[in-house]
Amino acid sequence: MRYNKFMPKSDKVKAPAVKAAPSGSNGAAHEAWGLLSGLVYPPPFAAIARELDLRPAAFGTLRMLDRPRTMSEVAEALHCDNSNVTGIVDNLEEKGLAERRASEEDRRVKLIELTPAGRRVHARLSKAFATPPDWVDSLSAADQQGLRDILQRAVAARTPGP
C-alpha cells in the first residue's frame, strides 16, 4: 500500500502554516516541528483507522499487539489507566479484531491477542508503517541519509515519558 493513495491529488502538498515561534524559543526548532508534523499527520493510517471505525487508542492498541499483551502493558504504552484499556479492548472485540484470554501463569491476568482478522489488519498496518511515503522516496539518496541521521539523533535525544 502506498501513502499517495491517501494523500491529496495535487502534485504538491502544501506545508502547513507555521506560527511564529514563541519568544525565547528556538525558531528553527519550532518551524522544523511545524513542517514535520504536517508531513506525518494525518498519515495514511488515519484512513485505515476511519475505514475500520477505530479510534486512535484502539488503533494504537491493535498496532502493538504483535504478541499477546497484558492489559497493564497496553495501559502503560498508551499512558492511561487499565480501566480505559477495558473499553478499548471491548471495541476491538466487538469488531472481531482481538480477544481476551486468561494468562496460563496467573489466571487473574488477562492477555489481549489478535484474532485471525486482527492479524490481517495488523499485517496491513505493519506494511503501511514500513512503506516510506512518496515525499521521502522523492528525496535524493544523500537527503534520505541526512534525514535518517537527523532523526536517529532526535530519537536518541528524546527523553522517555508521556
Side-chain angles (χ1 to χ4, degrees), residues 50-72:
R50 278 191 307 274
E51 173 190 325
L52 298 171
D53 192 28
L54 294 174
R55 297 191 186 282
F59 187 77
T61 301
L62 181 67
R63 194 164 166 250
M64 70 180 286
L65 291 175
D66 55 336
R67 63 175 174 79
R69 301 211 184 245
T70 66
M71 302 282 272
S72 296

Side-chain angles (χ1 to χ4, degrees), residues 72-91:
S72 296
E73 285 178 300
V74 174
E76 185 177 322
L78 296 177
H79 305 287
C80 69
D81 294 335
N82 281 8
S83 59
N84 293 26
V85 175
T86 299
I88 294 166
V89 175
D90 286 347
N91 183 261

Side-chain angles (χ1 to χ4, degrees), residues 6-70:
F6 302 105
M7 297 300 289
K9 296 290 184 202
S10 66
D11 288 43
K12 297 206 178 221
V13 176
K14 271 180 76 174
V18 178
K19 296 178 184 174
S23 61
S25 72
N26 180 336
H30 186 82
E31 185 177 352
W33 176 245
L35 293 168
L36 183 60
S37 65
L39 288 170
V40 297
Y41 297 109
F45 328 116
I48 297 170
R50 278 191 307 274
E51 173 190 325
L52 298 171
D53 192 28
L54 294 174
R55 297 191 186 282
F59 187 77
T61 301
L62 181 67
R63 194 164 166 250
M64 70 180 286
L65 291 175
D66 55 336
R67 63 175 174 79
R69 301 211 184 245
T70 66

